[in-house]
Amino acid sequence: MAGVTVLGAGAWGTALAIVLARNGQAVTLAVRRESQLAAMRDLRENRAYLHAVPLPDEVRLEKMGAGCVRDSDIVIMAVPSRFARQAVAPLISAVPSEALVISVSKGIEPESLQTMSQMLAELLPPAHRIAALSGPGFAPEVARGRPAALVAAADDEGVAQRVQTLFAVKPLRVYRSVDTIGVELGGASKNVIAIAAGISDGLALGSGARAALITRGLAEMMRLARAAGAQRETLAGLAGLGDLVLTSTGDLSRNRQLGLALGRGEPVPQPAEGASIAEGVSNAREIVRLGQRYGVETPISSAVYRVLYEAAWPDAMVEELLNRELKAEF
C-alpha cells in the first residue's frame, strides 16, 4: 500500500491533504477538473479554493481516476455531497479491499437521503472500513496550522481511533465517536441553520435574534438526529453545537455569507463551475425531506427552504417563525 488519496480538491480536501503531508504522510490529491489540475501543478497552490497556502512537496497532484486509489490504504472522500456518488462510483472497483474510506463531506445525498458514510457503505463491499470526519473547522485556518478540534466517527471504535490518530496533527485536536449518523447529520443540518442566522444578521435583527436562531436551530438538529437513531449528546458536542456556532457566526462561513446576502435582498446565487459552494443550499431540501420522513418538525430549515426554493421573502421567514404556536421549551 502507498499512503493516502484525497478525492476532491476543494478547500477542505486540500486543507486536509496539507495537514496529512505535514505529518509525514505520502498524499495524493485527486482533482476532478483538468483546468484546476493544470493550475495547481503550475502554481503549487489551490488558488481557486485556498489562496496563498503553498502545497507541501509531499502532496502529489493527479487527475481523479481509478489509478489514484488502486494503491492507497486510506481513501478520503472530499467531494461535495450532491456530486459524491457520481465521482466515487466509477472508482469503487479499484479501491483495495482492506482500505479505510473516510468521508469528510458534510451533506445528505439528494436522491437517497443517505449520509455520505451510508452512501459509501452501499457502494463498497462489506470488508471496507468506513468512517467520517466532521466538526468546526474552516479550511483556510486548518491549512495554515491554526488550532481546531474535529470528531472522527465510525461504528467500530477501533476504526474511529485509527482516523483520530491519522488526523491528530498539532495543533489540530481530534476526538472520536461511534455515533456516525449523529456526527454526519450534525454536519449537514447546521449548514441550513447557519443560513437562517445569516439572514437574521442581513436583516439587522440583532444579536438576540441570532442567538435565538442558533439555540432553537440546535434543538431542531437534535430532534432530527434523535429520530434517525443518533445520540442526543453528539449534537451537543463538536459535530453539532461546535460546528453550528462556527458556521453561524464565522466570517469565513459560506452559508453565513449566503444568508447575509439573502437578508440584504440579494437573489439566490447560481454557482459557477468550480466556484465554492454553500452546502446549505442543497442541504435545506434534504433536511426538510428527512424531517418529513421521520415525522419531525423542522421549522427553521423549512423556512430557509422556502426562501431558497419558493422565492419567499427573508422577512417572511422571520414572521413565520414568530407566529408559531407558543409552547414549552423542552
Side-chain angles (χ1 to χ4, degrees), residues 9-11 14 36 40 44-51 53 55:
T14 304
Q36 183 188 4
M40 291 176 67
R44 291 301 298 175
E45 174 188 317
N46 191 349
R47 189 162 293 178
Y49 293 98
L50 208 57
H51 184 67
V53 182
L55 293 173

Side-chain angles (χ1 to χ4, degrees), residues 5-19:
T5 295
V6 179
L7 300 175
W12 194 228
T14 304
L16 292 177
I18 291 170
V19 167

Side-chain angles (χ1 to χ4, degrees), residues 5 7 69 72-78 88 92 95-104 116-117 119-121 124-125 127-133 153-154 159 162-163 166-167:
T5 295
L7 300 175
V69 298
S72 298
D73 55 353
I74 298 172
V75 177
I76 298 170
M77 201 280 292
V88 172
I92 290 301
V95 176
S97 60
E98 294 301 314
L100 171 61
V101 182
I102 308 166
S103 169
V104 299
M116 294 296 95
S117 72
M119 183 268 294
L120 290 169
L124 290 161
H128 287 79
R129 299 167 177 85
I130 297 171
L133 182 75
V159 174
R162 185 178 172 192
V163 179
L166 176 69
F167 286 102

Side-chain angles (χ1 to χ4, degrees), residues 51-75:
H51 184 67
V53 182
L55 293 173
D57 292 340
E58 293 82 0
V59 176
R60 183 176 66 179
L61 299 169
E62 297 289 346
K63 181 75 171 65
M64 191 181 295
C68 293
V69 298
R70 188 167 286 121
D71 295 320
S72 298
D73 55 353
I74 298 172
V75 177

Side-chain angles (χ1 to χ4, degrees), residues 81-82 85 107-120 122 181 184-185 188 224 228 282-295 305:
S81 55
R82 66 183 182 277
R85 184 182 292 265
I108 306 295
E109 187 178 36
E111 294 80 14
S112 68
L113 299 186
Q114 293 177 322
T115 66
M116 294 296 95
S117 72
Q118 290 170 334
M119 183 268 294
L120 290 169
E122 177 189 315
I181 184 70
E184 289 189 290
L185 284 180
L224 180 61
S282 60
N283 290 165
R285 183 177 54 240
E286 281 84 65
I287 292 298
V288 169
R289 289 176 60 203
L290 272 179
Q292 293 167 347
R293 170 183 287 182
Y294 291 117
Y305 172 87

Side-chain angles (χ1 to χ4, degrees), residues 69 73 81 127 134 146 199 246 261 263 284 320:
V69 298
D73 55 353
S81 55
S134 192
R146 303 282 178 84
I199 289 173
L246 179 73
E320 177 182 336

Side-chain angles (χ1 to χ4, degrees), residues 18-290:
I18 291 170
V19 167
L20 294 175
R22 287 176 181 158
N23 197 33
Q25 296 284 342
V27 183
T28 296
L29 183 56
V31 187
R32 285 194 294 161
R33 295 187 309 279
E34 291 279 6
S35 58
Q36 183 188 4
L37 175 60
M40 291 176 67
R41 281 177 168 167
D42 182 49
L43 301 168
R44 291 301 298 175
E45 174 188 317
N46 191 349
R47 189 162 293 178
Y49 293 98
L50 208 57
H51 184 67
V53 182
L55 293 173
D57 292 340
E58 293 82 0
V59 176
R60 183 176 66 179
L61 299 169
E62 297 289 346
K63 181 75 171 65
M64 191 181 295
C68 293
V69 298
R70 188 167 286 121
D71 295 320
S72 298
D73 55 353
I74 298 172
V75 177
I76 298 170
M77 201 280 292
V79 179
S81 55
R82 66 183 182 277
F83 305 129
R85 184 182 292 265
Q86 177 186 355
V88 172
L91 315 180
I92 290 301
S93 61
V95 176
S97 60
E98 294 301 314
L100 171 61
V101 182
I102 308 166
S103 169
V104 299
S105 300
K106 299 175 181 179
I108 306 295
E109 187 178 36
E111 294 80 14
S112 68
L113 299 186
Q114 293 177 322
T115 66
M116 294 296 95
S117 72
Q118 290 170 334
M119 183 268 294
L120 290 169
E122 177 189 315
L123 291 175
L124 290 161
H128 287 79
R129 299 167 177 85
I130 297 171
L133 182 75
S134 192
F138 285 138
E141 294 181 346
V142 170
R144 291 185 172 94
R146 303 282 178 84
L150 303 176
V151 183
D155 295 343
D156 181 287
E157 186 162 10
V159 174
Q161 189 167 12
R162 185 178 172 192
V163 179
Q164 178 185 35
T165 302
L166 176 69
F167 286 102
V169 183
K170 291 180 181 180
L172 186 61
R173 181 166 176 80
V174 184
Y175 293 82
R176 66 178 179 271
S177 170
V178 293
D179 184 14
T180 311
I181 184 70
V183 166
E184 289 189 290
L185 284 180
S189 56
K190 59 85 185 177
N191 287 330
V192 189
I193 307 302
I195 293 176
I199 289 173
S200 175
D201 286 348
L203 290 168
L205 298 183
S207 302
R210 185 203 307 136
L213 274 168
I214 292 172
T215 307
R216 294 311 302 165
L218 178 62
E220 184 171 309
M221 291 164 59
M222 285 180 165
R223 286 196 302 271
L224 180 61
R226 190 73 187 90
Q231 299 170 12
R232 185 180 179 88
E233 297 90 332
T234 301
L235 278 296
L238 289 166
L241 175 60
D243 212 356
L244 173 63
V245 170
L246 179 73
T247 311
S248 298
T249 63
D251 290 336
L252 293 176
S253 166
R254 292 188 294 268
N255 293 289
R256 170 174 163 74
Q257 292 300 328
L258 171 62
L260 284 169
L262 294 172
R264 292 191 293 257
E266 299 174 24
V268 178
Q270 300 302 314
E273 174 71 15
S276 295
I277 298 167
E279 285 270 50
V281 175
S282 60
N283 290 165
R285 183 177 54 240
E286 281 84 65
I287 292 298
V288 169
R289 289 176 60 203
L290 272 179

